[in-house]
Amino acid sequence: MCWLIRIIVCNLGTMEKPARVLHIHVMPVISGSGINTYLSMVGVDRARYEVEFACGPDGPLNDMAMDAGIAFHPVRNFVQPISPFNDFRALRQLIRIIRRGKYQIVHTHNSKGGILGRIAAWWCRVPVIIHTIHGFAFHDSETAFRKRLFIFLERRAAKMADKLIAISQPLQDWGLRLGIGKPAQYTKIYSGIEIEKFRIDVDVRALRQQFGIGAHDFVIGLVAKLWDGKGHITAIDSLPQILAKVPHAKLVFVGEGYLRPALEAHAAKLGVEQHVVFTGFRTDIAELNAMFDLSILISDFEGMGRVLLEAMVMGKPVVATNVGGIPDVVVDGKTGYLVAPGDPPALAEAVLKLALDPQLRSSMGAAGQQRITEQFSAATMVRKIVEVYEEQIRLKLPNFFPGPSLGR
């Protein structure tokens, strides 16, 4: 009987246990980085990875995670702007969460979540620290002080990470030019989308009627939070030039945010308020994309521009700014057009090329759909992230997983 107990105990000791992974994200909103984080959590093998989530409280991203069975840890002092008091308290909260969780991997996202999360994980001696760069908290229009501060912090935090995942090649190149991390730390993994969720049938006429849009109106969609830096004013400023040649054009803003009153006032000032539609916060992005004739994303900066993937996979041509990682997604002149940020005439000219040429819209939409289907699926993204996890666990915890790596 004793020998049988010994065999059972030995076998139990060698059974594979899941690696505990904590993802850290600051704002609980539905955004490009938020959906990337969500898909990174739900797409892994739950038998091999036990995933948990730390984020600011009270938001739809947290609800999505909990609905998917992911344990959620609120970080109540996570706020978007720099706030020494709140940031220090958030750091303390993260340290408590990580100490209790005894994670093998901490995977951070965004600048503030990445900086505070990596400090907390390093302080708690987490074996594997991964950071995904969705973008940096600075761009060329930032004040010199803020830019220098975040570059300094990103350089220091990079030293605490084992791997840095850049969601586009331009983003990786930019980080290296600024001395953020070393080349060996970087790996490029495109942010993916659940392609199958965008293969749907939509009653476009009925959906347009909900927003007072006619069946023959030319619809320009912009899916982005109503925040500074997303180009909403530029879009409104381009409308008079567009309406001069396409009088039935409608500009549809999908999202919510503090800029809405100012945007409504600006549209009224230009006399185009009847051509601007605000949908508010929506989760039915695929359905809304179906009613667009083209999609625009004209931010001052984007790490990649996830909403472009969602439009292109549905066969929509796009117009986007030539910034950040967007050129990694949009092939200028083939799947859409790239323009400079803050340039209403250039935006209007690009939109008009597509509005006045249905055959061009069709060909660009088809080329974009093929590109996204082949290169930007969520399954491909998750597989590559798991490969990073497996590689680092083999290096840092060589005896943690018995048997072959799932990432190979």
Side-chain angles (χ1 to χ4, degrees), residues 128-269:
V128 178
I129 302 174
I130 309 292
H131 175 62
T132 292
I133 303 171
H134 300 274
F136 294 112
F138 53 84
H139 45 77
D140 291 340
S141 63
E142 293 282 4
T143 63
F145 171 76
R146 179 184 168 90
K147 190 172 181 179
R148 284 197 299 268
L149 173 63
F150 270 100
I151 290 173
F152 170 77
L153 293 173
E154 289 285 4
R155 286 172 178 170
R156 299 295 296 178
K159 295 180 179 180
M160 302 174 189
D162 296 291
K163 294 294 287 188
L164 301 171
I165 297 174
I167 64 171
S168 68
Q169 189 63 48
L171 200 55
Q172 177 174 325
D173 295 341
W174 189 23
L176 288 171
R177 282 198 305 272
L178 294 174
I180 298 171
K182 298 178 180 179
Q185 286 180 277
Y186 277 87
T187 185
K188 180 182 70 177
I189 302 177
Y190 289 129
S191 189
I193 63 172
E194 296 175 286
I195 290 172
E196 61 279 1
K197 287 191 174 182
F198 292 85
R199 292 173 176 157
I200 56 174
D201 292 322
V202 180
D203 187 341
V204 172
R205 184 184 292 268
L207 186 59
R208 286 186 170 200
Q209 286 177 349
Q210 290 184 27
F211 302 105
I213 299 172
H216 300 293
D217 287 343
F218 184 81
V219 181
I220 306 158
L222 173 54
V223 182
K225 298 183 291 288
L226 304 184
W227 291 4
D228 286 314
K230 292 296 185 180
H232 295 90
I233 290 290
T234 299
I236 293 173
D237 285 341
S238 74
L239 264 182
Q241 185 177 340
I242 293 169
L243 291 169
K245 293 187 177 180
V246 185
H248 56 290
K250 291 288 178 68
L251 177 61
V252 177
F253 290 151
V254 181
E256 62 183 7
Y258 57 83
L259 277 184
R260 179 163 178 170
L263 295 174
E264 291 174 333
H266 190 66
K269 179 181 177 182

